[in-house]
Amino acid sequence: MKRTGLLIILSSPSGAGKSTLARRLMDWDPALRFSVSATTRPPRSGEVDGRHYHFIAPDDFHRLVSGGQMLEHAEVFGNFYGSPRGPVEVAMREGRDTLFDVDWQGGQQIRASALGGHVVSIFVLPPSLPELERRLRTRGQDSDEVIAGRMQKSRNEISHWAEYDYVLVNDDLDETEARLRSILTAERLRRDRQAGLGTFVKRLMEEESA
């Protein structure tokens, strides 16, 4: 029996392990597609159109937004970013799930969209704020000032935890991945997401006993 594809929103504060979990989830299920964002900023060295981002002109971006073809969008440092609706709808019809790496604001917009009924939202928490700060420092990429800003932003992100369907504490990466797989497996098997189930049961009831 076929089913309609899901929109899987995965959010977390920076350093909580969201990107690693997303990669592991896609390795587990190669049919899972990642939502490639559209942006009005020019491509950077090494970026490939359609793989890293869909690079489009500002006028085209705003036309998509006004036409309801962006599931979520935001302005960041003068450039616009958004999640195109068209590829997600194609994947849904094919029974393929789409994974979104967005913050709580993007998640709110997707849930409020016309496709909101197909959303499964998951928030990943760190085991503690000191551990989150340790992970950020271990990267060795940011100054103390930048890390302090990230920690403040993390507190804001965490304050929206109750808006999500599921909340996972990432204290062990392997266990968190296993729980993430369980969530996805269960959501795929929900009765209302299995197209043709009613027809199957009706035919089953009409069968004669052996």
Side-chain angles (χ1 to χ4, degrees):
M1 287 172 287
K2 292 183 178 180
R3 65 176 180 85
T4 301
L6 301 173
L7 282 66
I8 305 165
I9 296 173
L10 193 60
S11 303
S12 79
S14 179
K18 172 183 59 178
S19 297
T20 301
L21 288 167
R23 287 194 298 270
R24 287 191 175 201
L25 197 61
M26 296 186 73
D27 287 341
W28 170 65
D29 182 2
L32 185 64
R33 68 174 295 274
F34 190 81
S35 177
V36 178
S37 297
T39 182
T40 59
R41 74 161 173 80
R44 296 168 183 157
S45 177
E47 289 184 330
V48 178
D49 184 40
R51 189 174 78 182
H52 297 97
Y53 287 96
H54 296 293
F55 297 100
I56 61 177
D59 287 347
D60 293 333
F61 187 96
H62 296 308
R63 191 176 301 115
L64 289 170
V65 171
S66 62
Q69 293 305 305
M70 284 291 180
L71 292 173
E72 57 86 25
H73 66 281
E75 182 179 2
V76 182
F77 300 122
N79 295 305
F80 291 90
Y81 296 80
S83 300
R85 175 176 170 175
V88 177
E89 291 181 320
V90 171
M92 289 176 65
R93 290 194 294 269
E94 295 174 348
R96 298 176 62 199
D97 303 326
T98 301
L99 182 62
F100 293 84
D101 179 353
V102 295
D103 63 11
W104 66 270
Q105 292 169 308
Q108 280 186 342
Q109 291 183 54
I110 295 173
R111 287 193 295 271
S113 73
L115 305 183
H118 303 278
V119 166
V120 177
S121 59
I122 306 160
F123 194 86
V124 180
L125 288 169
S128 69
L129 288 181
E131 171 61 16
L132 182 64
E133 184 173 352
R134 186 195 67 78
R135 292 178 186 179
L136 292 175
R137 292 189 181 280
T138 300
R139 294 177 177 179
Q141 299 175 342
D142 300 320
S143 65
D144 288 346
E145 183 180 0
V146 171
I147 289 175
R150 289 187 183 278
M151 290 300 297
Q152 182 57 45
K153 184 178 179 181
S154 294
R155 288 181 171 85
N156 182 45
E157 290 274 347
I158 292 171
S159 71
H160 293 273
W161 67 273
E163 299 173 16
Y164 289 75
D165 299 319
Y166 299 91
V167 179
L168 301 177
V169 178
N170 186 20
D171 49 1
D172 181 281
L173 191 59
D174 290 337
E175 290 185 8
T176 304
E177 179 191 357
R179 293 194 292 267
L180 195 56
R181 291 183 186 184
S182 296
I183 290 170
L184 185 52
T185 299
E187 287 288 343
R188 287 170 169 176
L189 291 172
R190 280 182 50 170
R191 173 182 53 78
D192 56 348
R193 290 191 171 127
Q194 296 187 62
L197 183 59
T199 302
F200 171 79
V201 173
K202 180 179 179 182
R203 186 171 66 248
L204 188 67
M205 296 296 290
E206 291 173 350
E207 292 179 352
E208 293 184 5
S209 301

